[in-house]
């Protein structure tokens, strides 16, 4: 089952990133990456055509209290949202507490290992502070970069589902899960289950 999330007073740090709630002053940085062709389509939304569109989404991020801004060298370059998972897609999880994460990164910073670094920190936060039993995460089959992030962070394939994008197309999606286990040890980069 989905649990309530409120990150409004949460600040996380990694070696290179600060993960924090969004602020109105992030609008220019947000529009700068969200307006680039090829970024949003990987996550199911079209590039922002105007700053007004970015402002509307930014307001939702702030009000929703469940999306981290990824700050790198003083600039916001992406986000990680802690969304409700579709409970009908995962009936086997009905007796466990969980959420689904989704992420987006500025095209300028792809291939530098920043997203796995950020996702690992959010995983630790969700298991250690929020006490989730599992975290779901999915990727469109054509998005091998996202598949690689999930693989690096220890997610395991559960099933293929069809996701309807924000622009009306249907995308085959691999749905993955990472379970918290009592017999897991943590090292600096990820959880290792024995």
């Amino acid at each position: 089952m989905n649990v309530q999330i409120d990150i409004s007073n949460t600040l996380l740090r990694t070696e290179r990133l600060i993960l924090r709630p969004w602020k109105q002053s992030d609008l220019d940085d947000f529009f700068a990456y969200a307006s680039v062709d090829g970024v949003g389509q990987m996550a199911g939304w079209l590039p922002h055509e105007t700053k007004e569109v970015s402002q509307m989404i930014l307001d939702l991020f702030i009000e929703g209290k469940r999306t981290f801004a990824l700050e790198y060298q003083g600039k916001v370059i992406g986000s990680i949202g802690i969304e409700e998972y579709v409970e009908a897609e995962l009936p086997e999880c009905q007796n466990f507490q969980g959420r689904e994460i989704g992420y987006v990164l500025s095209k300028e910073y792809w291939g530098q290992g920043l997203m796995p670094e950020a996702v690992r920190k959010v995983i630790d936060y969700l298991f250690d502070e929020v006490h989730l039993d599992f975290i779901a995460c999915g990727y469109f089959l054509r998005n091998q970069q996202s598949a690689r992030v999930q693989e690096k962070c220890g997610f395991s394939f559960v099933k293929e589902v069809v996701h309807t994008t924000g622009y009306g197309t249907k995308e085959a999606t691999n749905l993955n899960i990472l379970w918290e286990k009592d017999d897991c040890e943590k090292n600096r980069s990820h959880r290792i289950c024995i």
Side-chain angles (χ1 to χ4, degrees):
M1 79 179 108
N2 283 291
V3 299
Q4 292 299 312
I5 295 290
D6 182 346
I7 63 141
S8 57
N9 294 310
T10 304
L11 179 72
L12 307 175
R13 293 179 186 273
T14 71
E15 184 180 329
R16 298 179 288 174
L17 297 164
I18 297 171
L19 287 74
R20 58 164 176 80
W22 284 85
K23 305 180 286 194
Q24 288 295 340
S25 58
D26 296 326
L27 178 61
D28 289 340
D29 289 348
F30 183 31
F31 180 70
Y33 78 77
S35 60
V36 173
D37 189 44
V39 174
Q41 291 97 322
M42 294 299 205
W45 46 270
L46 292 173
H48 296 182
E49 293 185 6
T50 65
K51 261 193 196 173
E52 288 73 27
V53 171
S54 294
Q55 180 66 65
M56 189 173 62
I57 305 299
L58 178 61
D59 290 343
L60 292 174
F61 285 169
I62 293 169
E63 292 166 19
K65 300 178 183 178
R66 65 180 183 272
T67 303
F68 285 106
L70 306 183
E71 185 179 316
Y72 177 68
Q73 298 179 344
K75 179 179 177 181
V76 175
I77 61 165
S79 68
I80 298 182
I82 306 166
E83 307 299 333
E84 290 189 358
Y85 73 95
V86 180
E87 293 181 355
E89 290 177 350
L90 293 170
E92 61 269 44
C93 297
Q94 67 183 351
N95 296 322
F96 300 96
Q97 295 188 11
R99 290 293 279 217
E100 182 169 354
I101 62 170
Y103 44 83
V104 175
L105 184 66
S106 167
K107 200 181 249 188
E108 186 179 341
Y109 297 93
W110 289 1
Q112 298 178 34
L114 290 166
M115 191 52 75
E117 183 177 319
V119 168
R120 286 183 189 116
K121 192 66 177 181
V122 171
I123 288 168
D124 288 344
Y125 165 72
L126 290 173
F127 285 149
D128 297 341
E129 304 297 324
V130 181
H131 305 293
L132 295 185
D133 297 313
F134 72 94
I135 302 166
C137 196
Y139 64 89
F140 300 151
L141 297 188
R142 62 181 166 81
N143 188 349
Q144 288 306 298
Q145 294 153 306
S146 191
R148 190 76 184 107
V149 169
Q150 291 173 48
E151 180 183 311
K152 288 179 180 179
C153 293
F155 285 85
S156 297
F157 175 76
V158 176
K159 63 180 74 170
E160 187 176 309
V161 297
V162 176
H163 176 79
T164 303
T165 67
Y167 46 92
T169 62
K170 296 202 180 295
E171 291 273 356
T173 302
N174 275 354
L175 187 56
N176 297 321
I177 285 186
L178 181 63
W179 287 93
E180 170 65 318
K181 298 193 186 297
D182 292 335
D183 58 348
C184 281
E185 293 180 7
K186 288 184 277 180
N187 70 18
R188 290 181 196 200
S189 61
H190 61 285
R191 291 168 185 267
I192 300 175
C193 294
I194 357 183

